[in-house]
Amino acid sequence: MYSLGNKIKELRTNRGLTQETLAQQFNDLFGTNINKSMISKWENNVEEPSLDNGRKIVAFFGITLDDLLGLNLDSKDKDDNLKDIAAQCDGEDWTEEELEVIRSFKELIKSWRPKK
């Protein structure tokens, strides 16, 4: 069974971050006041992040909200689409790390859209 907390922990550990480091980087980037304890509560499914923090999580890790919530589309289709978007920038090959930055930026821009 899917767990939002496990997904957050997986994202954090894949980046080699401690809960404390993640909180610090998150706060530096978004001007929030998240602490290690809050991340622990998220990862242990004691509490879920607010929608606003969910948007920030997807921007930080360069994933979609569907990915975070476990509503994944076919990953090959998403990766191919992202590579097409990245290729339009200047035609260079992109590393996975660079594609993550592009994903983050894309999600950040989308989060600025007016709510309907």
Side-chain angles (χ1 to χ4, degrees):
M1 177 179 226
Y2 180 81
S3 162
L4 177 61
N6 288 342
K7 181 65 176 182
I8 294 170
K9 183 175 183 175
E10 174 190 320
L11 292 166
R12 176 181 62 78
T13 57
N14 284 348
R15 287 256 182 113
L17 300 172
T18 64
Q19 290 175 341
E20 189 171 333
T21 304
L22 173 59
Q24 181 180 15
Q25 289 183 10
F26 202 80
N27 293 335
D28 290 346
L29 183 62
F30 298 110
T32 55
N33 193 24
I34 302 297
N35 58 37
K36 175 184 173 181
S37 174
M38 180 59 65
I39 292 171
S40 176
K41 288 178 183 179
W42 293 345
E43 290 182 0
N44 290 298
N45 297 301
V46 173
E47 292 184 20
E48 290 187 349
S50 67
L51 181 57
D52 186 49
N53 282 331
R55 286 185 188 116
K56 291 171 182 167
I57 290 168
V58 299
F60 183 88
F61 287 108
I63 62 172
T64 66
L65 195 52
D66 282 354
D67 288 336
L68 182 64
L69 298 176
L71 306 172
N72 301 1
L73 301 171
D74 180 57
S75 61
K76 181 187 179 309
D77 290 340
K78 287 192 303 186
D79 286 345
D80 287 347
N81 185 35
L82 184 60
K83 288 176 184 173
D84 288 343
I85 292 167
Q88 292 174 12
C89 295
D90 63 13
E92 291 185 17
D93 289 331
W94 296 89
T95 66
E96 187 58 36
E97 186 175 274
E98 291 167 333
L99 291 173
E100 283 187 33
V101 172
I102 292 168
R103 284 186 202 108
S104 297
F105 185 69
K106 182 177 119 182
E107 291 304 314
L108 179 63
I109 297 299
K110 286 169 62 175
S111 75
W112 293 342
R113 292 179 180 165
K115 308 297 181 244
K116 295 180 181 182

